[in-house]
Amino acid sequence: MINIKGQTQLSVLKHKKEAVLVLFGGASCGVCQAIKPQIETKFLAKFPNLVMVYIDCEQLQEVCAQHGVFSLPMVQVFFMGQKFIEEVREFSLLALEQKIGKIFTKMNS
């Protein structure tokens, strides 16, 4: 998972890559730290074209504000620069995986 250092880096990835998953979290967010390796492990094998990035909202408050992050954790998934999925606070990683899978299936058919 790529640690984002600023808005420019995130914008470039969102527009140059087919699919980008953004995990907004924080060092003091226990849930964020627990799901980060789970997302990385589970989705890396299943979706090799999915670029996964992490934004520490404690360090990059401006970037998080620009993306409407008010609760942690938050996951946003972009396909070809457009946001298709947003999950906030309490969400199922299995349901997230299924949503991503459906979009990849539609894109490749």
Side-chain angles (χ1 to χ4, degrees):
M1 194 170 280
I2 300 167
N3 287 315
I4 295 296
K5 304 294 183 207
Q7 180 60 43
T8 303
Q9 182 186 14
L10 179 60
S11 294
V12 168
L13 282 173
K14 286 191 317 189
H15 289 87
K16 289 198 173 198
K17 300 296 181 181
E18 176 185 35
V20 178
L21 179 146
V22 183
L23 171 60
F24 296 92
S28 61
C29 171
V31 175
C32 303
Q33 298 308 311
I35 68 168
K36 184 178 175 186
Q38 291 178 35
I39 289 173
E40 200 167 18
T41 303
K42 182 179 247 189
F43 295 178
L44 185 62
K46 185 139 187 167
F47 307 114
N49 292 341
L50 181 65
V51 175
M52 292 176 281
V53 302
Y54 177 75
I55 297 177
D56 184 335
C57 291
E58 294 170 17
Q59 302 293 320
L60 298 172
Q61 293 176 2
E62 291 175 13
V63 175
C64 294
Q66 288 176 352
H67 288 272
V69 179
F70 300 107
S71 295
L72 298 177
M74 177 185 274
V75 172
Q76 294 179 346
V77 184
F78 296 84
F79 289 89
M80 293 181 266
Q82 298 295 314
K83 181 170 55 173
F84 276 73
I85 301 169
E86 181 173 279
E87 299 288 345
V88 184
R89 253 178 126 175
E90 296 177 19
F91 54 89
S92 162
L93 292 181
L94 178 59
L96 178 60
E97 178 183 344
Q98 291 169 343
K99 288 177 185 178
I100 293 169
K102 283 181 185 177
I103 296 170
F104 268 122
T105 300
K106 287 180 183 178
M107 288 176 59
N108 295 322
S109 57

